[in-house]
Amino acid sequence: MKRKPKSSQGEATKQTILQAAVQIVLSDGMDSLNTNGLARRAGVSVGTLYQYFNNKDEILLELLLASMERRMQKVKDAVTLSMAFKSSKEIIDRLIDALFEADSIESEKLEFLLFPWALANQPKAAMNLVHRNRESIHPLLKLLLVTKEPGLKSRDIDAVSFILLQAVRGTLVGRTMPEGKDLSEISLKKELKHLFFAMLSPPK
Amino acid sequence: MKRKPKSSQGEATKQTILQAAVQIVLSDGMDSLNTNGLARRAGVSVGTLYQYFNNKDEILLELLLASMERRMQKVKDAVTLSMAFKSSKEIIDRLIDALFEADSIESEKLEFLLFPWALANQPKAAMNLVHRNRESIHPLLKLLLVTKEPGLKSRDIDAVSFILLQAVRGTLVGRTMPEGKDLSEISLKKELKHLFFAMLSPPK
Amino acid sequence: MKRKPKSSQGEATKQTILQAAVQIVLSDGMDSLNTNGLARRAGVSVGTLYQYFNNKDEILLELLLASMERRMQKVKDAVTLSMAFKSSKEIIDRLIDALFEADSIESEKLEFLLFPWALANQPKAAMNLVHRNRESIHPLLKLLLVTKEPGLKSRDIDAVSFILLQAVRGTLVGRTMPEGKDLSEISLKKELKHLFFAMLSPPK
Amino acid sequence: MKRKPKSSQGEATKQTILQAAVQIVLSDGMDSLNTNGLARRAGVSVGTLYQYFNNKDEILLELLLASMERRMQKVKDAVTLSMAFKSSKEIIDRLIDALFEADSIESEKLEFLLFPWALANQPKAAMNLVHRNRESIHPLLKLLLVTKEPGLKSRDIDAVSFILLQAVRGTLVGRTMPEGKDLSEISLKKELKHLFFAMLSPPK
DNA sequence: TATGAATGAGGATTCATTCAT
DNA sequence: TATGAATGAATCCTCATTCAT
């Protein structure tokens, strides 16, 4: 580990670099992220990059980590805060609303673009990230499903929460791409909420 | 267009190359697909690659196209063949079953790995592919929803079919990755079918 | 030597190839002359190229040789035919006129484009060609200068004929290029003839 | 492992590269100029080449430009400096002497070797170079002809200056090649000067 | 003789990383 | 700490030549 940005100045530089990286990946794809271009975009020299990161992979990994962390925290907050007192309906409303906020969508797209890379180049780290993801989000969903809708006990809660998550994530990412450009955000949110409820009802 | 499929031998060579490319992309990621390695894996020389494709991008594009085509055809068949006589339930059963067949899953994973690349490097072609996708699969879903469940008329059918598609695709891809490895295929299929039915019922 | 085009059919094919090569070199430069493109342009297969020539260099060499031969023969004829009876003026008129004919100009341009290549890649052959050139054209010029204008004896006839030749060749080639496009052919011919006469008169 | 500190050093590196390129082109022809060989000859790495030039073509173009510039400046100086006070004879003496200096000859040869390439690969730039050439050298020649020898008014001054230029350039280049090796430089200069005077005298 | 698919060495260019300043 | 010139392995692609049909 090379990084020790104890000074606030150093930490700021590091964030500048990460921000520049996000912009490049989101607008041009991660194959366009090269160290020379990143340094230029961030307004620093290549050398400086290596003051804060040991190599390029570390930058991407930190990007992925921070993005996931941000999104997870947001979901966690939305669910846990309301868990105690609210009905399933209200909890789900908050959950979907949280996921549709601008930075959540940006995070989803970033993960969508970076995950194939992580899988191939940093499989260990990718595993870890995925684990953290499951360990923080799936339990929430499962908790929601179990505590609020006890009738689901006979179902495979893991499968249900997995599918719901994939549906939401796919929808969020798809919306940012050509294929989803002309879909109404209001409809999507409404239907996703409907989908959650629908899954809670017992199968015929 | 460089291709000259004069002899059936030539066409065979081309397929060998594409198969090798699929293997490499699926096992090592598309950043590991380089022309020298591909030629070696396919058992031909680099030069031969360029006898059948103008450049590396064309190979990837053809991979993506063929994969999408295969999957789309499979779904189309499953749905249309049963459309006339069957109930929603049976049609959905066939649809999900078709999507869970081995080569469908392979196709989904390939698309998942290649799409970010296509978006950045071949945006025009990516657009086209997405269009073809929508124009063949979404209509089927919409037809299913409208003809079999007329009660849905008041809903945003585009949004519903989009979400369902994302749910299925995300589930299929997720299953092939570490995060989905321990999920039961049987449960996933059952829950996906349940999800389809659930979406057909009117919201409360 | 691989070539044995004893059949007239074979000789025709060979000429087709050479003609195609001339066209490519004149229109796109000799870096654009590759064996695959040449075969396509000539309407034969690559293999056929190697039936008539041992390698690419031989093709270029034969091109250069034939071109030079053609131009030299033309000049020789113009000069020798009139040498016996005509005045210097008439001989020079014929010489310049011959050099300005369309295929002479094409030959000059071809030589201009090919000579740098020959010098570097086939120095032995280039030497030979140059020798043949000197041995056939310079003697003519010298003969003309000496027999018709005996007053020049004290001058360096080699230098004079060399300079005259360079002037004509440079003018012919320059005319086919952007830099000479807007010059009047009539003026150029008139001035070249004047130049020849002027060189015959003794220096002040 | 070399480290280069300052920007004046950077300019030096650039000149080193260009010098190496000149040497290679002059000794082995421009087909022998490849980036790996050039880097080796210049004592730098391939990467360094691309720190100073965007691509190989830019190197060749800069070579051509610099060469032409150098030669043009030399001629300009020789003519303009003496224009005011000297006779035609003296001006021409200086002009020819200037053109026969070692680096002028090197420039001519370089242009002779590079021009066919430029014509085919950088036609726009080639045009530009030629224009600059005409706009700086031809006017000088024309000025000389018109101001010093008013009797030429009835002639096509463009044609005259064009031919003279071609004669000189052809002679300079030809001298560096096998075909001109055994000619006396003294004779050539004398005869070229004679040629200039001869062209100034009115035609019979 | 003619064909054209296959070959693979060679060449242009990129880019992550280093290190002297 | 910051800089950015320099490095060179890695990668895409071309094309002269061969040879089985």
Coordinates of all heavy atoms in Angstrom, one line a residue, chain A residues 109 174-184, chain B residues 127 134 162:
Chain A
K109 N -24.4 2.1 -13.3 CA -23.8 2.1 -14.6 C -22.3 1.9 -14.5 O -21.7 1.1 -15.3 CB -24.0 3.4 -15.4 CG -23.5 3.3 -16.8 CD -24.1 4.3 -17.7 CE -23.6 4.1 -19.1 NZ -23.9 5.2 -20.1
G174 N -30.2 -0.3 -17.8 CA -30.8 -0.2 -19.1 C -31.4 1.2 -19.5 O -31.3 1.6 -20.6
R175 N -31.9 1.8 -18.5 CA -32.4 3.2 -18.6 C -31.4 4.2 -19.1 O -31.7 5.1 -19.8 CB -32.9 3.7 -17.3 CG -34.4 3.4 -17.0 CD -35.2 4.5 -17.5 NE -34.9 5.8 -16.9 CZ -35.3 7.0 -17.4 NH1 -36.1 7.0 -18.4 NH2 -34.9 8.1 -16.8
T176 N -30.1 4.0 -18.7 CA -29.1 4.9 -19.1 C -28.5 4.7 -20.5 O -27.6 5.4 -21.0 CB -27.9 4.9 -18.1 OG1 -27.2 3.6 -18.4 CG2 -28.3 4.9 -16.7
M177 N -29.0 3.6 -21.1 CA -28.5 3.3 -22.4 C -29.5 3.5 -23.5 O -30.7 3.6 -23.3 CB -28.1 1.8 -22.4 CG -26.9 1.7 -21.4 SD -26.2 0.1 -21.4 CE -25.1 0.3 -20.1
P178 N -29.0 3.4 -24.7 CA -29.9 3.7 -25.9 C -31.2 2.9 -25.8 O -32.3 3.4 -26.0 CB -29.1 3.2 -27.1 CG -27.7 3.3 -26.6 CD -27.7 3.2 -25.2
E179 N -31.1 1.6 -25.4 CA -32.3 0.8 -25.4 C -33.4 1.2 -24.5 O -34.5 0.8 -24.6 CB -31.9 -0.7 -25.1 CG -31.4 -0.9 -23.7 CD -31.0 -2.4 -23.5 OE1 -31.9 -3.3 -23.6 OE2 -29.8 -2.6 -23.3
G180 N -33.0 2.0 -23.5 CA -34.0 2.4 -22.5 C -34.4 3.9 -22.5 O -35.2 4.3 -21.7
K181 N -33.8 4.6 -23.4 CA -33.9 6.0 -23.4 C -35.3 6.6 -23.4 O -35.6 7.6 -22.8 CB -33.1 6.6 -24.6 CG -31.7 6.9 -24.4 CD -31.4 8.1 -23.5 CE -30.0 8.4 -23.4 NZ -29.1 7.3 -22.8
D182 N -36.2 5.9 -24.1 CA -37.5 6.4 -24.3 C -38.6 5.9 -23.3 O -39.8 6.1 -23.5 CB -38.0 6.2 -25.7 CG -37.8 4.8 -26.1 OD1 -37.3 4.0 -25.4 OD2 -38.3 4.4 -27.3
L183 N -38.1 5.2 -22.3 CA -39.1 4.7 -21.3 C -39.3 5.7 -20.2 O -38.5 6.5 -19.9 CB -38.5 3.4 -20.7 CG -38.4 2.2 -21.6 CD1 -37.5 1.1 -21.0 CD2 -39.8 1.7 -22.0
S184 N -40.5 5.7 -19.8 CA -40.9 6.7 -18.8 C -40.4 6.3 -17.4 O -40.7 5.2 -16.9 CB -42.5 6.8 -18.7 OG -42.9 7.0 -17.4
Chain B
M127 N -26.3 0.2 -31.2 CA -27.7 0.7 -31.4 C -28.5 -0.2 -32.2 O -29.6 -0.6 -31.8 CB -27.6 2.1 -32.1 CG -27.2 3.2 -31.2 SD -28.5 3.7 -30.1 CE -28.2 5.5 -30.2
R134 N -35.1 -5.3 -29.4 CA -36.4 -4.7 -29.0 C -37.5 -5.1 -30.0 O -38.6 -5.5 -29.6 CB -36.4 -3.2 -28.9 CG -35.5 -2.7 -27.8 CD -35.8 -1.3 -27.5 NE -37.1 -1.2 -26.8 CZ -37.6 -0.1 -26.2 NH1 -37.0 1.0 -26.4 NH2 -38.7 -0.1 -25.6
F162 N -40.0 -4.4 -20.5 CA -38.6 -4.0 -20.3 C -38.1 -4.6 -19.0 O -37.0 -5.2 -18.9 CB -38.5 -2.5 -20.3 CG -37.1 -2.0 -20.2 CD1 -36.2 -2.0 -21.3 CD2 -36.6 -1.5 -19.0 CE1 -34.9 -1.6 -21.2 CE2 -35.3 -1.0 -18.9 CZ -34.4 -1.1 -20.0

